[in-house]
Amino acid sequence: MEDSMPVSLPGVCNSSRPLGKTAYTNFCLSGKLAKIIYFCFVLISTYLALTFWRKKKHTQNTFKMTMSSSSSLIKFENLQELKRLCHWGPIIALTVIAICSAMAILDSVLWYWPLDTTGGSINFIMLINWTVLILYNYFNAMFVGPGFIPLEWKPDDIQDTMYLQFCRVCQGYKAPRSHHCRKCNRCVMKMDHHCPWINNCCGHQNHAYFTYFLLLAPLGCIHASIVFIMTMYSQLYDKVSFGWSSVKIDMSALKKDQRPIIPFGLSAFAATLFALGLALGTTIAVGMLFFIQMKVILRNKTSIEAWIEEKAKDRIQYYQTGEEFIFPYDLNSKWENFKQVFSWSGTPEGDGIHWPVRDKCHQHTLTIEQLKQKADKRVRSIQYRVIEDYNGAYCPLNKGLKTFFTTPCTEEPRIKLRKGETIFATRGLKRWMYGDKVLDEEQIKAGVRIRGWFPRRCVEKCLYDKASDLLANEEKKDR
């Protein structure tokens, strides 16, 4: 096989001459172009954030507009929603989006596919569209929110309260499919999970937006990754021997100008390589989350309900009751289940309290199973006595290296322990346990509940069975 002919790439600056006045002017213009793209991204993000924040406030009637003779003033009653941006999750997520989007646009315009070609213009528009669509669904998922059960909610039929759990924090009953979120401090409609990346829960009202974001983010990152790879390949083809003597890619049609605005130097290569790593990592991580979400959506479940169903099977098998648990919300049709979350209007079906159920089931089939599991958890809980103080640190250095490195990867709280206290443990790992701390009567009446993770080495199992103590604390645990 004959050796490949050397290819002269139009995007590579082969001259070693120092930059002249014209080159310096072009360099300044490229800097202005980068700033313009960056500020456009910031303006788009700010506009979308404020738009969906105001949309949520208007939907929930939580802001007032006061007209005066000189100006129109908008007085917002609650600024909590904007504070969601001041969290490590949204900061990291928006930073990754900004880096990947800005680098993809810069690489395309400056070195890979300029705007003076038809393909370059289409590529540029697609990159902008990916950014807008990703931010649109991201801010919708964050600011529209999952929907919360009204405080002090009760069912229409008072007899249905016997099938529901009571939330002492919200001072109301938990509607079917709702769960209390410790982070949001509210009972969430059809709660799936609390997502730190949007600093909000994923639930009934924003489940579709969250899933769209999980789909669009990997697609946009795949497009950006292709741009990054082709940019580095086209710019380094003449300078680095890849060992591909038989590979010939004609890059001459991509650029007409033999000298780019700025050369593709080491800093540009490092930035592009870093952005490529972020894009590929996001594609894999977020793509996996998308498939997990679609798996439960097509069964009309949430991640929590899938776990409840799994525990129901374990409970039935453990006690050999012979009963059959049928998940009530799976409508036996993937398309019907799909429509429960996604709609053309963007608003999911239902009011977040009443749900369509399959045959042989009713509205409280799942809540009854939850009550059974809660009672079973009390029976299986084991009493422990604290023998060593613990300050509640997530990664305690003074409890041993194995305890430090095996801390549970969860945002669930850690609880402080004092020697002599009593804990009812409900689950555990090799070196960590999760349980409820036994409180005094005043704390019980006030509705206080302290539960979380603690190191296993800090407690020892009680050698006697305090069934009477467990029954005395039943009211405290029934929430």
Side-chain angles (χ1 to χ4, degrees):
M1 182 179 296
E2 297 181 2
D3 294 338
S4 303
M5 295 293 293
V7 180
S8 178
L9 296 180
V12 179
C13 180
N14 297 318
S15 175
S16 59
R17 293 177 299 173
L19 292 176
K21 182 177 181 180
T22 304
Y24 177 76
T25 303
N26 291 336
F27 179 80
C28 295
L29 291 175
S30 65
K32 293 181 179 179
L33 177 63
K35 292 179 180 178
I36 291 173
I37 294 175
Y38 173 76
F39 283 117
C40 286
F41 176 85
V42 172
L43 289 175
I44 292 173
S45 301
T46 306
Y47 172 76
L48 292 175
L50 292 175
T51 299
F52 300 122
W53 178 53
R54 292 181 61 184
K55 176 182 176 182
K56 178 181 175 61
K57 297 295 108 178
H58 177 74
T59 302
Q60 297 184 349
N61 294 322
T62 54
F63 71 87
K64 299 178 180 179
M65 179 171 289
T66 305
M67 301 297 296
S68 63
S69 58
S70 58
S71 61
S72 299
L73 301 176
I74 300 179
K75 295 184 179 180
F76 294 98
E77 293 182 357
N78 187 6
L79 297 177
Q80 185 64 32
E81 296 303 320
L82 281 182
K83 292 181 181 179
R84 293 190 184 277
L85 291 170
C86 303
H87 183 263
W88 63 266
I91 291 174
I92 293 177
L94 292 175
T95 300
V96 171
I97 295 173
I99 292 175
C100 293
S101 300
M103 283 305 303
I105 293 172
L106 286 174
D107 282 359
S108 296
V109 174
L110 297 180
W111 298 301
Y112 175 54
W113 217 341
L115 296 177
D116 56 357
T117 62
T118 303
S121 300
I122 295 175
N123 178 65
F124 179 81
I125 293 173
M126 289 182 63
L127 290 173
I128 294 295
N129 283 338
W130 287 127
T131 303
V132 173
L133 289 174
I134 290 171
L135 291 176
Y136 175 85
N137 289 281
Y138 179 82
F139 286 126
N140 256 323
M142 178 185 294
F143 293 124
V144 170
F148 299 108
I149 301 296
L151 297 175
E152 302 180 1
W153 179 83
K154 295 180 181 179
D156 296 333
D157 188 352
I158 199 64
Q159 293 183 351
D160 291 340
T161 57
M162 63 183 298
Y163 306 121
L164 301 174
Q165 300 181 64
F166 185 80
C167 178
R168 293 187 180 274
V169 177
C170 300
Q171 289 297 306
Y173 289 90
K174 298 179 183 179
R177 310 190 78 175
S178 68
H179 302 273
H180 186 84
C181 176
R182 298 190 193 96
K183 297 291 184 180
C184 299
N185 203 32
R186 289 289 300 274
C187 288
V188 178
M189 295 179 179
K190 193 186 173 185
M191 179 178 175
D192 186 87
H193 67 288
H194 184 91
C195 179
W197 306 112
I198 63 174
N199 194 21
N200 206 343
C201 278
C202 175
H204 174 60
Q205 294 183 3
N206 65 347
H207 203 172
Y209 293 119
F210 181 76
T211 309
Y212 286 140
F213 167 73
L214 296 183
L215 171 64
L216 294 168
L219 294 179
C221 287
I222 290 173
H223 185 183
S225 298
I226 295 174
V227 172
F228 297 147
I229 293 173
M230 294 306 297
T231 298
M232 291 187 292
Y233 179 81
S234 64
Q235 294 300 314
L236 300 178
Y237 189 86
D238 279 354
K239 299 180 180 181
V240 179
S241 175
F242 290 96
W244 301 339
S245 58
S246 60
V247 178
K248 298 179 180 180
I249 301 179
D250 185 12
M251 299 291 181
S252 59
L254 296 181
K255 283 185 177 288
K256 297 179 180 180
D257 185 9
Q258 296 297 322
R259 286 181 67 94
I261 297 177
I262 55 174
F264 189 77
L266 180 61
S267 58
F269 173 77
T272 302
L273 189 63
F274 177 71
L276 175 62
L278 287 180
L280 292 177
T282 302
T283 301
I284 296 173
V286 181
M288 291 177 61
L289 291 177
F290 170 74
F291 283 109
I292 293 174
Q293 283 295 311
M294 287 305 301
K295 182 179 179 180
V296 296
I297 287 174
L298 292 178
R299 298 175 182 176
N300 201 12
K301 299 177 183 177
T302 64
S303 301
I304 296 177
E305 291 168 351
W307 173 238
I308 293 174
E309 185 181 25
E310 192 67 25
K311 290 193 296 182
K313 296 177 181 178
D314 293 339
R315 182 186 63 81
I316 294 173
Q317 183 179 5
Y318 180 81
Y319 290 105
Q320 297 293 321
T321 59
E323 60 183 308
E324 180 185 7
F325 174 73
I326 301 176
F327 185 75
Y329 306 115
D330 187 351
L331 304 179
N332 282 329
S333 170
K334 292 184 177 180
W335 175 242
E336 292 297 326
N337 293 337
F338 182 85
K339 290 193 299 182
Q340 292 296 310
V341 177
F342 302 97
S343 63
W344 290 110
S345 63
T347 303
E349 294 187 1
D351 58 359
I353 295 178
H354 303 92
W355 309 93
V357 295
R358 59 190 298 175
D359 297 336
K360 300 181 181 180
C361 297
H362 54 83
Q363 286 291 325
H364 302 103
T365 299
L366 186 66
T367 59
I368 292 174
E369 174 60 31
Q370 289 178 262
L371 292 174
K372 291 180 180 179
Q373 292 181 11
K374 198 164 187 178
D376 180 53
K377 184 174 71 173
R378 295 196 201 101
V379 173
R380 295 195 192 188
S381 62
I382 302 175
Q383 186 176 356
Y384 285 84
R385 182 171 59 87
V386 179
I387 59 174
E388 187 177 332
D389 291 348
Y390 168 56
N391 61 4
Y394 274 71
C395 299
L397 287 171
N398 60 343
K399 303 302 178 184
L401 290 177
K402 292 182 178 179
T403 302
F404 176 83
F405 287 111
T406 57
T407 182
C409 298
T410 174
E411 287 193 341
E412 290 178 311
R414 275 62 169 169
I415 57 175
K416 296 181 180 180
L417 301 179
R418 294 292 179 266
K419 190 174 180 179
E421 292 179 333
T422 304
I423 302 290
F424 281 102
T426 55
R427 53 191 166 104
L429 303 173
K430 186 175 182 180
R431 292 182 174 85
W432 288 82
M433 300 190 73
Y434 186 93
D436 286 84
K437 183 184 292 188
V438 177
L439 306 176
D440 55 36
E441 292 297 329
E442 293 182 359
Q443 291 175 313
I444 295 174
K445 292 179 180 179
V448 178
R449 186 179 188 183
I450 301 177
R451 59 175 176 172
W453 290 94
F454 53 90
R456 185 182 286 267
R457 61 174 286 177
C458 295
V459 297
E460 67 175 5
K461 186 177 179 181
C462 294
L463 299 179
Y464 51 88
D465 182 18
K466 281 196 174 182
S468 59
D469 290 346
L470 184 62
L471 292 175
N473 288 277
E474 182 175 356
E475 182 180 356
K476 183 243 340 172
K477 287 173 170 290
D478 189 16
R479 295 179 176 87

